[in-house]
Amino acid sequence: MFRTALRNVLAHKARLLMTVLAVMLGVAFVSGTLVFTNTLSDALQNQSAKGFDHVDVAVTPKWKDAEGDRVGEYRELTRDLVDDSARVPGAERAIGIVTGFAALADRDGKLIGDGFQSQGGNYWGTEDPRYPLVDGRAPKGGGEILIDSETAKRAGYEVGDTVRMSVDGPVLEPVIAGVFTTDDGNVAAGGSLTLFDTATAQKLFGEAGAFHEIAVKAKAGVGEAALQAQLRKALPSDVVETTTGTKLAADQAEIIASSMSGLKQGLLVFAGIALFVGTFIIANTFTMLVAQRTRELALMRAVGASRRQVTRSVLIEAFVVGTIAAVAGLVAGVGIGAGLRSLMGTLDAPMPDGPLVVSPGTIGSAFVVGILVTMLAAWLPGRRAAKIPPVAAMGSVHAAATTKSLVLRNTLGALFSAAGVAVVLAATTMNGSDGQAPMGIGAVLLIIGVFILTPLLSRPLIAAAAPVLRVFGVSGKLARQNSVRNPRRTAATASALMIGLTLITGMTVMAGSLQKSIDKMAASAIEADYVVSMANGNALSPDVEKKLKQTDGVTATSPMRNAVSRIDGRTDFLTGVDGRTIGELSEFPVRDGVFEVGGTRVAVDEDTAESYGWKTGSAFTVAYEDGVKQKLTVAGVYEGNEMMRGIMVDVATLAPHESEPADMMVMVKTADGASDGVKDALEKALGTNPAIEVQDRKDLSNEIAQMFTLILNMVYGLLAMAVIVAVLGVINTLAMSVFERSQEIGMLRAIGLDRKATKRMVRLESLVISLFGGVLGIGLGVFFGWAAGELVGTSMATYELVLPWGRMALFLTLAGVVGVLAALWPARRAARLNMLQAIKAE
């Protein structure tokens, strides 16, 4: 039986090629994902470890917990603590570290890198071992800086150049005193690192004489644990805490691994989808192969082979195919991993240097996935073939499915579908994350149910295409009959395409609906013409609002300021606004009372009011940052949203209690409304600051749209793998169908069907099957998009379902194109069959 199985594999190379390709693509995606994520994770961890080469023990300020009505705060690291750390017997040196946000502009005045990756810090003394200089010298005073070598290369800066930059407000124009190298991960990710002398950095990023961290390097022969113990004895335990460099590196590696696990899981989900689609194709292929060899298997049964031996011979074939596909998929996966790494660099997302990582786990996964998936898909056809009585198989009376089997299949499909719909509908009534798992389970049940019912659905849906197919005469009629001749085979082929289009359509519906909802939210909540904020999301200096107020054409401004406080023994944030103008700059539906902010009267969003049990007229006591208490009264309860919510307090009431007031954003209304000229005027009033963004509502919407578009394009790219596998399935099914119907095609050619009509018949059959899968996929995608939207709508009041009719029409057109392209080779093969040889074929 083993020799027979091997002979069958070698005898049917062409028939099994598409199956190998389908499995190989799935394995390649899985192994490529593992190679890429392992390589990226390993490179980031190695680079992160380099960043701790100069730190054996880090000394950080301890957090003082909130007590009573006072808000918690960090202790201060002073120069005395740095000196005390350096004097510890086991310490070689101690460096005081200051960090913060520093936006550096390129020669065109644009921010270099993403705002979150634009960092600043201090250069310790005249020679900082953390940042080796490659050109120039250490900075002196506020008029000089150092920049990293990667930023200097990208922006074309050299020592002696004057640059524009900003920290939290005013624009600075320092001179580049030197260029240094660094292993900083933000720089590797495309950001920038700007260094000042220590005194200047303290003034810009914190308080004079204060540090954010102290890095202590041990003397030769002194271990980290010994140095940490000495530091704990020498430094006040109520002010600082210590962490070893090894622990810091391990924590950083864990953070990197955790962040990479999300990317890995996301990519593996799409790899799983490709494999899931491929499973249908493999099962379909083996079903057809077994059907073509029915008489051969029956003869083997007649001469003494048992059912188990027949099933085993089919599984051996599957094992050989799976092994070949796994090896090819692993090789292709290594190439995909290397390609993704190169692609990161071309997309301005440079990767740290490091070797390509092909772990034993990746190799094992490739073989397990390739062999296991193939054998599981082949098991059912092999088992079904073994059950056919030898005499019945020789007489070919086994082909028609029994009424009992059809009833059982349709009943099972109906039960799965009903259960899936019920669970999905139940999930739409739940709140937020509670409904995610049930909705996922319901979606899987429904897809399985529809797949089981697809043979039943194929007849009426394909019959609906009959009027169009009649236009093509005999070819169209034959194509329709061929499409429904074997509903199970048609269903398996169409289902592969259906799954890909279900996911693509569902994601498109969700993305379009969310974009519309966020646009609606911005339009309904913000009446201001512009919103001014920091590029990295940090707080703005209050001077920004003062400058905007003085700008010609500005009629109203209001900050949005977050201030920490204590209410009823718990820490909460207050939202500071200008009570005189906030009503002009925003519009919130008021659920109770009036939207009034001023003095001791505040406006509170529904969720906050509910959590505290407040209503209009309720009075409560707030303890501000400085510990001073004040009684406030709820003037009204409004409907908040994801953009604006909280306890709104007048900044005039809030400011006297803040040690360092800072605005998260400033809303601006102008006499002439939003226009390019007004925007330029506002940017010039702020000194054309690279750290500050001036955005109108359209800019805010476009920024969000870009995020959704990027995510959607990534999803399209990843799901393209599943669609490619589905195309192979259509080609495979048609090619084997042509082989199976060789005698029939020969007879049709003999009685007058020319080559052109034969090609047309096969192409139309493929087109009908593909469109059938497309209609099912788009229908399911719309349903899942609607259901997921209902779940999102529980936490987003402005959510509104948007059906992208244009894109759905495009998806259906692409399904048709897939069908036409997939039929090219099988149609050509059918047309070139020798009539006499085909008629003699069995």
Side-chain angles (χ1 to χ4, degrees):
M1 294 301 296
F2 181 75
R3 288 197 301 271
T4 302
L6 289 180
R7 181 184 61 78
N8 285 324
V9 171
L10 296 174
H12 303 134
K13 301 184 192 72
R15 298 188 223 170
L16 292 174
L17 177 62
M18 294 299 177
T19 307
V20 171
L21 286 174
V23 183
M24 186 197 77
L25 280 174
V27 173
F29 206 168
V30 171
S31 54
T33 294
L34 294 174
V35 168
F36 172 66
T37 52
N38 289 341
T39 298
L40 181 57
S41 179
D42 186 69
L44 288 172
Q45 288 179 18
N46 288 339
Q47 185 181 63
S48 174
K50 287 182 183 177
F52 295 105
D53 286 346
H54 303 288
V55 184
D56 286 320
V57 178
V59 180
T60 53
K62 183 172 282 187
W63 175 258
K64 180 181 178 182
D65 293 332
E67 296 177 4
D69 295 320
R70 290 195 64 83
V71 177
E73 59 185 9
Y74 278 108
R75 305 300 207 282
E76 189 177 271
L77 297 182
T78 62
R79 181 60 189 250
D80 289 340
L81 288 173
V82 178
D83 294 338
D84 290 344
S85 300
R87 283 194 290 266
V88 167
E92 179 182 317
R93 64 172 180 269
I95 297 175
I97 298 174
V98 183
T99 59
F101 169 65
L104 186 67
D106 60 20
R107 294 188 181 276
D108 296 325
K110 303 297 183 182
L111 179 67
I112 296 175
D114 183 71
F116 293 96
Q117 297 167 338
S118 301
Q119 300 296 315
N122 68 310
Y123 189 82
W124 186 256
T126 57
E127 188 175 347
D128 193 328
R130 298 173 299 163
Y131 307 114
L133 290 172
V134 294
D135 193 13
R137 56 169 176 80
K140 297 178 182 178
E144 293 184 346
I145 60 168
L146 302 180
I147 64 172
D148 65 90
S149 56
E150 288 298 320
T151 298
K153 188 190 303 180
R154 286 197 299 267
Y157 283 141
E158 297 177 351
V159 172
D161 287 346
T162 299
V163 297
R164 291 176 60 82
M165 66 170 301
S166 176
V167 174
D168 67 349
V171 175
L172 307 174
E173 293 190 346
V175 174
I176 298 175
V179 177
F180 63 92
T181 59
T182 178
D183 293 317
D184 188 278
N186 287 315
V187 173
S192 64
L193 179 59
T194 307
L195 301 179
F196 301 83
D197 66 31
T198 298
T200 303
Q202 287 174 325
K203 179 182 175 182
L204 293 172
F205 302 131
E207 296 180 8
F211 298 91
H212 297 120
E213 185 180 324
I214 301 171
V216 186
K217 181 69 176 175
K219 290 180 179 177
V222 178
E224 289 181 342
L227 178 61
Q228 185 181 33
Q230 292 172 357
L231 286 167
R232 283 176 174 172
K233 290 179 182 178
L235 303 178
S237 60
D238 62 330
V239 176
V240 304
E241 45 192 16
T242 59
T243 311
T244 64
T246 300
K247 179 69 165 58
L248 289 173
D251 291 344
Q252 188 70 23
E254 187 176 337
I255 292 171
I256 291 170
S258 176
S259 63
M260 289 303 301
S261 69
L263 174 64
K264 184 184 293 186
Q265 287 173 7
L267 291 172
L268 286 175
V269 165
F270 289 100
I273 292 167
L275 279 173
F276 188 52
V277 172
T279 302
F280 292 134
I281 298 167
I282 301 163
N284 203 20
T285 300
F286 274 94
T287 298
M288 296 170 71
L289 286 174
V290 169
Q292 291 171 9
R293 290 167 41 210
T294 300
R295 291 191 179 183
E296 175 188 330
L297 294 174
L299 183 60
M300 292 173 63
R301 288 287 312 282
V303 296
S306 66
R307 287 185 178 182
R308 286 185 178 180
Q309 286 179 310
V310 171
T311 304
R312 198 179 301 134
S313 70
V314 175
L315 291 178
I316 290 171
E317 289 184 49
F319 176 81
V320 174
V321 171
T323 304
I324 295 170
V327 172
L330 177 61
V331 173
V334 173
I336 288 173
L340 286 173
R341 185 171 68 167
S342 301
L343 183 63
M344 292 278 285
T346 61
L347 295 176
D348 294 328
M351 275 187 61
D353 292 332
L356 204 64
V357 178
V358 184
S359 67
T362 300
I363 298 172
S365 298
F367 279 95
V368 168
V369 168
I371 295 172
L372 194 62
V373 167
T374 309
M375 292 186 70
L376 284 175
W379 176 75
L380 190 59
R383 184 169 174 271
R384 190 185 300 134
K387 282 186 174 183
I388 301 171
V391 176
M394 289 180 184
S396 297
V397 296
H398 65 284
T402 64
T403 303
K404 181 180 177 181
S405 69
L406 290 175
V407 170
L408 179 63
R409 180 185 180 110
N410 294 337
T411 302
L412 193 62
L415 290 174
F416 267 97
S417 299
V421 170
V423 174
V424 168
L425 292 177
T428 60
T429 63
M430 300 179 183
N431 290 323
S433 58
D434 293 340
Q436 291 179 3
M439 184 163 291
I441 294 170
V444 171
L445 289 174
L446 180 55
I447 288 177
I448 292 173
V450 171
F451 170 67
I452 296 172
L453 286 175
T454 306
L456 180 67
L457 298 173
S458 64
R459 289 187 179 276
L461 288 178
I462 291 176
V468 178
L469 292 174
R470 287 197 193 100
V471 175
F472 298 95
V474 174
S475 296
K477 183 178 180 180
L478 290 171
R480 184 181 65 80
Q481 291 174 348
N482 291 334
S483 301
V484 296
R485 173 184 296 182
N486 191 333
R488 290 185 177 181
R489 187 166 65 203
T490 297
T493 307
S495 295
L497 197 58
M498 175 192 78
I499 293 169
L501 285 176
T502 295
L503 294 165
I504 290 173
T505 304
M507 290 297 297
T508 304
V509 170
M510 275 293 296
S513 300
L514 282 171
Q515 180 61 55
K516 177 76 173 179
S517 304
I518 291 170
D519 289 348
K520 188 177 177 181
M521 183 191 303
S524 62
I526 300 176
E527 292 293 317
D529 295 316
Y530 291 96
V531 172
V532 180
S533 61
M534 290 287 281
N536 69 335
N538 280 1
L540 287 164
S541 166
D543 292 336
V544 171
E545 192 204 0
K546 293 177 183 176
K547 289 183 179 180
L548 290 168
K549 273 184 177 178
Q550 298 166 3
T551 305
D552 291 340
V554 173
T555 58
T557 65
S558 174
M560 290 286 287
R561 180 178 301 177
N562 285 343
V564 69
S565 69
R566 297 280 288 174
I567 302 173
D568 291 348
R570 71 190 198 195
T571 301
D572 208 336
F573 282 92
L574 304 176
T575 302
V577 297
D578 190 330
R580 297 166 300 177
T581 60
I582 187 64
E584 187 180 347
L585 295 165
S586 63
E587 183 178 348
F588 295 97
V590 179
R591 299 305 182 196
D592 187 21
V594 294
F595 190 83
E596 179 185 347
V597 179
T600 60
R601 292 174 67 78
V602 301
V604 183
D605 72 284
E606 288 178 303
D607 294 339
T608 303
E610 184 179 348
S611 69
Y612 283 104
W614 296 339
K615 58 183 179 180
T616 299
S618 295
F620 62 95
T621 300
V622 61
Y624 296 110
E625 180 186 344
D626 59 359
V628 175
K629 297 180 182 179
Q630 187 175 30
K631 184 169 282 188
L632 302 177
T633 303
V634 178
V637 178
Y638 66 92
E639 182 185 312
N641 56 46
E642 283 70 19
M643 298 183 71
M644 301 172 75
R645 63 173 66 205
I647 305 170
M648 290 197 182
V649 183
D650 197 327
V651 286
T653 303
L654 194 59
H657 307 288
E658 294 181 287
S659 58
E660 295 180 8
D663 302 327
M664 295 311 297
M665 66 179 184
V666 178
M667 294 184 289
V668 181
K669 199 166 187 66
T670 62
D672 297 329
S675 68
D676 291 340
V678 173
K679 184 176 180 179
D680 289 341
L682 294 177
E683 288 178 343
K684 286 178 182 177
L686 297 173
T688 317
N689 194 321
I692 299 176
E693 290 183 328
V694 179
Q695 297 175 298
D696 58 21
R697 279 179 283 183
K698 184 178 179 181
D699 292 330
L700 289 171
S701 177
N702 288 341
E703 186 176 39
I704 297 169
Q706 286 177 357
M707 179 181 69
F708 281 122
T709 302
L710 176 63
I711 294 172
L712 200 59
N713 287 340
M714 288 176 62
V715 170
Y716 286 164
L718 292 168
L719 288 176
M721 181 69 75
V723 175
I724 290 171
V725 175
V727 171
L728 289 175
V730 178
I731 296 172
N732 203 15
T733 299
L734 289 172
M736 298 186 74
S737 178
V738 167
F739 178 84
E740 191 179 74
R741 302 199 318 259
S742 295
Q743 189 178 54
E744 175 190 322
I745 293 171
M747 290 292 294
L748 290 170
R749 291 290 315 283
I751 61 174
L753 192 69
D754 59 18
R755 288 188 173 182
K756 189 175 180 180
T758 304
K759 286 182 180 179
R760 189 184 302 123
M761 175 187 70
V762 177
R763 288 171 185 162
L764 288 173
E765 180 183 349
S766 176
L767 179 63
V768 167
I769 293 173
S770 298
L771 289 176
F772 170 52
V775 169
L776 288 180
I778 292 171
L780 283 174
V782 169
F783 175 71
F784 290 139
W786 166 81
E790 289 295 302
L791 198 61
V792 171
T794 60
S795 58
M796 184 181 288
T798 56
Y799 186 83
E800 178 184 338
L801 179 67
V802 175
L803 294 180
W805 295 106
R807 289 207 175 189
M808 289 194 293
L810 176 63
F811 296 155
L812 192 59
T813 303
L814 288 176
V817 171
V818 163
V820 173
L821 293 177
L824 291 178
W825 177 63
R828 185 168 177 268
R829 184 183 178 191
R832 296 183 66 181
L833 282 175
N834 184 289
M835 286 183 283
L836 294 179
Q837 290 180 356
I839 291 171
K840 290 190 295 180
E842 293 188 7

